[in-house]
Amino acid sequence: MNKTILVKAYFKDTNETQKKPAIKPDVWGSSDAHPKTPKNDKTEVQKPESCVDSERLERDLGLALVSLNGSGYEVHSIVPVISGAYSYQFRDDEITSSPRLMGDTEAVAGGVSYGYGYGYSYTDSLIVIARKMTS
């Protein structure tokens, strides 16, 4: 008998350092300037969507393996689930061309065209496939 477990991957938290007041001199260069208080005096936490927390993923995978082994299962395979994101932009400002009367070339008129695109992938989760051990 087989059993599967989904181990979700999470993105890393990036902790910014505590924001400290910056002393800004006044317009005349006076040292009596008051410190500017930060808008948020707590540490800000941001979740980027490009860096998987591999240490947490390893811990979560280890817990899943211990659970399976404790229930009498042997791991058969671990399969990554890959997700991704992309963006692109294309613009075509109606470029026209017409043959020239006195030569083998074309006259081109109109706007500018351009295009670009990018994409990336990341590990979304792991699927652990295990088989019940027979005695």
Side-chain angles (χ1 to χ4, degrees):
M1 180 156 115
N2 292 336
K3 184 174 184 174
T4 60
I5 293 179
L6 179 72
V7 179
K8 184 76 177 138
Y10 296 92
F11 293 114
K12 279 186 180 182
D13 288 335
T14 56
N15 295 321
E16 289 186 7
T17 58
Q18 188 83 10
K19 291 190 173 186
K20 297 180 183 177
I23 297 178
K24 296 252 180 186
D26 63 10
V27 293
W28 308 110
S30 171
S31 61
D32 295 335
H34 295 285
K36 198 174 191 179
T37 55
K39 292 180 183 176
N40 181 4
D41 59 350
K42 296 180 179 178
T43 302
E44 294 182 2
V45 177
Q46 298 176 345
K47 283 200 178 261
E49 294 188 1
S50 61
C51 190
V52 173
D53 188 348
S54 57
E55 293 171 358
R56 178 177 179 179
L57 183 58
E58 185 222 0
R59 282 192 309 272
D60 293 347
L61 178 60
L63 291 172
L65 297 177
V66 166
S67 172
L68 286 169
N69 290 336
S71 300
Y73 285 87
E74 178 181 35
V75 174
H76 181 263
S77 61
I78 300 173
V79 180
V81 177
I82 307 298
S83 290
Y86 69 92
S87 183
Y88 69 92
Q89 186 171 3
F90 174 75
R91 182 174 168 189
D92 182 10
D93 283 346
E94 296 187 25
I95 296 176
T96 59
S97 65
S98 58
R100 293 185 182 182
L101 297 175
M102 302 301 235
D104 293 334
T105 61
E106 293 183 11
V108 178
V112 176
S113 294
Y114 67 90
Y116 69 89
Y118 64 90
Y120 61 92
S121 62
Y122 58 90
T123 302
D124 179 70
S125 54
L126 301 172
I127 297 177
V128 181
I129 303 169
R131 183 178 298 138
K132 186 78 170 174
M133 292 187 286
T134 56
S135 306

